[in-house]
Each structure stands twice: as C-alpha cells, then as structure tokens.
C-alpha cells in the first residue's frame, strides 16, 4: 500500500495516465485528501476554492449531505443490477423526471455510462433511424467547427478537425462534414451570413447525412465560445427541410449552467435526440442519458434489427440514478436559476475589467461560465502553481482561463476566485510569450 503523499505522487507520476498527459513528461498533479462544499483540501492541508466544478459536473458542491444520503440509502438496497430484463425504481423515476424537464417531444430515454457513450448512442440512433426509413446512404454526420463531443472514436469524428484529434487517427476515424461555426456571439445582432456554410453543406450532402450534431449555444472544450441562439433555431429548420435529425449535445450545458435549464431553451427549440451527462448526478457518479422522440424510437424499432443495438454493462446503474434523482431535486430546492444568476452578475462585475488588459483577447460570460481568453497560451505548470498560491483551483487549456464554479459558491468565495484570475493574468510569466 502506498501511504505517504510523496510516495503517492511518485507512484502516480510513474504509473498512472491522467487526461491528455505524457507518461514521460507528465504535468504535476496535486493530491486531494478531502473535498467539502466548494473547497478541495490538498495533500499539504491547504484548501482551494474550486472554480471548475470538476469539469462542469459538481454543481451542488462536494460531500453534499443530501446526495450522500441518497447514495447510502440505495447502497443498502442494491448497488447494481444488469438492465437487461430487469428494471428498478431509481431508473424509472429518473427517466420520468428527465422527460418532464427536457424540451418538448423527447420521451424515450437510454441511460448510458458516460458522456462520450451517450454521444455514441445518439449517433447510432440517427443511423439506425435513417436506415429503418430506407435512407441507407445517410450514414455520415454534419457538425460545426470548434465542437467537442468526447474522446471515443465516433464522438472524436465530430469534434473540431483542427484542434480535435483527427490527424492522429486518420485512416481509422470516420470522415464527416464540417460547417463553419457561427461568428455571431450570444449578445451580438445575428448575422445571417452565419448560415451560409451550414446551408451549403446540407444542400450539397443531405443525401449522405443522418444527423447534425452540435452543442447548443455554448461550445465548450472546443473553444469556450457562446454563439447566437438564432443560429440554433435556423439549424432546427434546416434539419427539418433536409430530413436530417438534430442531435443536441447538452452534456456540458445541461442542468442550468448557461442560465437556462437546457441551452436549447435559449432558442426555443427541441432536438430529435438529446445527450446529457456531467451534472446529471451532481458530479457524484458517472451517468449519462440520451433522450429521443417517439418517432425516432418507433422508427428504429420497426427497422431490420427490430431493436436498438446498444447495451452497456452498467446501463442505468441504480446508485448513479439515485444520485441523479437527488441532484435534480436539489436543483429545484436550491433555486438553481437564482444561484446561476447571482454567479453571472458577480462574474460580470469582477472579470469584465480584464477586457482591456494587455494579456487578454476577450472576456465572455454566460450564466455560470466565465471565460478569459488570453492573447497566447498559458504555461500550465506555472499558472496552476500561481492559482494554488492564491487559494483557488482553476485549470486552463490553451489560451483559455475559464471558470464554471459549483452553483453553491458564496459571494465571497466567488470574488476570491475572480480576484485570483485578475492577479494571475497580470503576471506575464504564466504565459508562453
Ligand atoms: C459537450 C460534451 N460532449 C461530450 C463530452 C464527453 O463526456 P465524457 O467526458 O463524460 O465522456 C463532453 C466532455 O467534456 C462535453 O463537454
């Protein structure tokens, strides 16, 4: 057994992969010994305020009594059963709730085990749907540039072709169609020329396109961009016009993060297929869901296979469903809308001053997401050190220093977080000039 913190770190460095890191030249990792509320306790006992919600997921904070209790109660009943031929109350309650709160028309639920898998499921659904209708050539996808949909192969094939991982896996990965991402930002007037590229792709290639997949309004890991809801609205119309399904990937945006419960609501549209994950369980367990319309589900079920061809071992895991049910109740009980609005106001008050800073290209805020886009990429090891010194946990990527704190963060904690960003951005040594 590895005990001392130095031994843990050494073993970790030598044997354990972390996300997107090298095994020969790994970035430093920090040990977490406890996490409570919005604070992480690190190996040496110091506490840092979490600005990341563990990648969009921990909306109610860590070690939350309500979520803890829900899981404990479920553990005492059963932790897992196969979903083939068996079902249980936590999965049924969760599915019912998701159908109630998601945009209209989505009333069939597939419970998957991670965001990337939920995307794979959505893509498969679209292909099976089109094939069931006899559209056997509709087996490719259309998406917009700067997107991110996960790290499995089909999901990667619809991520941005430049900042995604396409080149590394050329020859193996499916080739899909890419339209330009809209330039009109969330707060701009909508420029109709944003529709030219996507309209052109659909006009030219719709015979081969099963579905358009995109992240509604907020493009996350592909660049943290907020685009105009009119674009999404027009995409809905174009999909109908060309008999192409619309898949909304709300794995990052779902459950209030953008200021609406689901980002599709900014445009008042319903997709044919919706992917959810991350904050679904309040960040407690890995769980995702892919919802679709009755039309999609029935068409798939009438096709040659007669079934939908997917079924992971941990599908509908009862512990994860119990956490999700408790998390959805907490969102309501805690008045998530007010929480997100308060965070948005403070992010605006505290971060917008950086707009004119010499090291900053742009500052953008939407809901409980604050982004400071620097002029050049950050030196990750150095900037991380600087943030920890100031008592906060922020994990930038490329030029993007961004925060999406737990909804339960207090005003003082959020101001501390923002102050740390303002201070760190002023230090030229954290950038790769
Ligand atoms: C929009 C979007 N889709 C899919 C995924 C993949 O989810 P996971 O990491 O749970 O596989 C992510 C993860 O960041 C995401 O932001």
């Amino acid at each position: 057994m590895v005990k001392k913190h130095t031994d843990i770190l050494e073993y970790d460095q030598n044997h354990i992969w972390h996300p997107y890191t090298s095994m020969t030249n790994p970035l430093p990792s920090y040990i977490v010994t406890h996490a409570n509320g919005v604070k992480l306790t690190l190996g040496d006992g110091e506490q840092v305020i979490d600005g990341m919600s563990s990648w969009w997921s921990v909306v109610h904070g860590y070690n939350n009594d309500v979520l803890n209790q829900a899981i404990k109660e479920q553990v005492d009943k059963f932790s897992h059963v196969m979903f083939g031929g068996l079902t249980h109350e936590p999965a049924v309650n969760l599915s019912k709730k998701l159908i109630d709160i998601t945009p209209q028309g989505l009333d069939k639920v597939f419970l998957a085990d991670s965001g990337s898998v939920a995307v794979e499921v959505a893509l498969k659904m679209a292909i099976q749907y089109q094939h069931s209708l006899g559209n056997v050539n509709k087996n490719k996808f259309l998406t917009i540039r700067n997107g991110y949909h996960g790290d499995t192969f089909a999901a990667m094939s619809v991520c941005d072709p430049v900042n995604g991982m396409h080149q590394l896996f050329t020859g193996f990965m499916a080739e899909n169609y890419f339209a330009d991402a809209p330039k009109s930002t969330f707060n701009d007037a909508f420029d109709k020329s944003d529709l030219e590229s996507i309209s052109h792709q659909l006009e030219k290639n719709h015979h081969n396109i099963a579905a358009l997949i995109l992240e509604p309004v907020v493009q996350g890991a592909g660049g943290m961009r907020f685009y105009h809801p009119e674009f999404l609205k027009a995409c809905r119309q174009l999909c109908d016009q060309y008999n192409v399904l619309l898949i909304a990937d709300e794995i990052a945006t779902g459950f209030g993060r953008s200021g609406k419960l689901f980002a599709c609501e900014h445009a008042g549209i319903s997709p044919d297929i919706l992917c959810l994950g991350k904050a679904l369980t309040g960040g407690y367990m890995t769980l995702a869901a892919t919802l679709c319309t009755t039309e999609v589900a029935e068409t798939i079920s009438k096709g040659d296979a007669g079934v939908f061809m997917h079924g992971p071992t941990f599908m509908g895991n009862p512990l994860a469903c119990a956490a999700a049910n408790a998390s959805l109740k907490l969102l309501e009980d805690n008045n998530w809308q007010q929480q997100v609005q308060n965070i948005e106001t403070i992010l605006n008050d505290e971060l917008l001053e950086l707009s004119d800073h010499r090291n900053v290209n742009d500052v953008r805020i939407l809901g409980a997401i604050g982004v400071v886009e620097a002029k050049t990429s950050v030196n990750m090891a150095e900037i991380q050190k600087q943030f920890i010194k100031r008592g906060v946990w922020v994990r930038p990527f490329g030029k993007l220093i961004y925060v999406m704190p737990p909804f339960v963060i207090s005003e003082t904690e959020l101001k501390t977080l923002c102050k740390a960003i303002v201070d760190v951005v002023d230090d030229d040594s954290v950038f790769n000039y």
Side-chain angles (χ1 to χ4, degrees), residues 52-294:
M52 308 305 292
S53 297
S54 283
W55 280 338
W56 313 77
S57 66
V58 183
V59 286
H60 307 299
Y62 302 88
N63 210 355
N64 179 290
D65 287 341
V66 175
L67 296 179
N68 288 359
Q69 190 55 31
I71 291 172
K72 284 175 190 164
E73 281 172 21
Q74 186 56 42
V75 159
D76 284 339
K77 294 178 191 159
F78 56 99
S79 299
H80 184 61
V81 287
M82 62 189 280
F83 216 48
L86 298 173
T87 193
H88 45 79
E89 209 175 330
V92 172
N93 287 344
L94 175 60
S95 301
K96 198 158 180 279
K97 186 73 188 169
L98 291 177
I99 289 168
D100 274 357
I101 62 174
T102 51
Q104 217 185 351
L106 298 161
D107 50 13
K108 306 285 187 237
V109 184
F110 189 102
L111 295 168
D113 28 14
S114 76
S116 299
V117 173
V119 168
E120 298 285 325
V121 165
L123 299 176
K124 257 192 192 177
M125 277 181 179
I127 300 247
Q128 274 199 248
Y129 169 84
Q130 297 291 3
H131 286 193
S132 296
L133 290 174
N135 301 324
V136 290
N137 293 325
K138 279 182 172 277
N139 47 26
K140 287 187 176 288
F141 295 95
L142 173 62
T143 188
I144 54 176
R145 290 176 191 278
N146 295 109
Y148 178 77
H149 298 284
D151 290 349
T152 49
F153 270 100
M156 267 198 302
S157 76
V158 287
C159 290
D160 184 87
V162 179
N163 66 25
M165 291 165 269
H166 289 230
Q167 271 164 349
L168 269 179
F169 301 105
T170 311
F172 187 72
M173 203 159 59
E175 285 178 20
N176 289 309
Y177 299 109
F178 293 88
D180 294 340
K183 290 199 181 71
S184 311
T185 67
F186 189 85
N187 295 314
D188 284 342
F190 183 59
D191 179 352
K192 282 192 175 152
S193 69
D194 276 351
L195 293 170
E196 281 170 11
S197 172
I198 196 146
S199 304
H200 174 71
Q201 286 290 347
L202 278 165
E203 192 182 359
K204 201 167 113 203
N205 300 312
H206 68 95
H207 293 298
N208 299 320
I209 296 174
L212 164 65
I213 179 168
L214 41 72
E215 296 153 281
V217 177
V218 175
Q219 292 190 292
M224 301 299 293
R225 302 171 76 249
F226 311 144
Y227 65 82
H228 203 290
E230 277 301 317
F231 179 81
L232 183 58
K233 220 170 171 174
C235 285
R236 175 67 278 181
Q237 284 161 4
L238 286 166
C239 283
D240 290 341
Q241 184 184 336
Y242 287 105
N243 183 23
V244 160
L245 293 177
L246 177 62
I247 302 171
D249 178 350
E250 294 234 22
I251 287 163
T253 49
F255 310 106
R257 182 57 68 178
S258 75
K260 299 279 186 193
L261 194 54
F262 298 99
C264 283
E265 293 171 25
H266 288 291
I269 62 117
S270 285
D272 302 292
I273 301 176
L274 173 73
C275 301
L276 302 172
K278 290 191 182 275
L280 173 59
T281 61
Y284 257 57
M285 320 269 301
T286 177
L287 182 71
T290 306
L291 282 84
C292 70
T293 60
T294 295

Side-chain angles (χ1 to χ4, degrees), residues 362-381:
D362 186 35
V363 178
R364 40 191 187 265
I365 286 140
L366 181 68
I369 315 168
V371 184
V372 175
E373 184 179 315
K375 292 209 167 117
T376 186
S377 63
V378 303
N379 174 334
M380 187 69 130

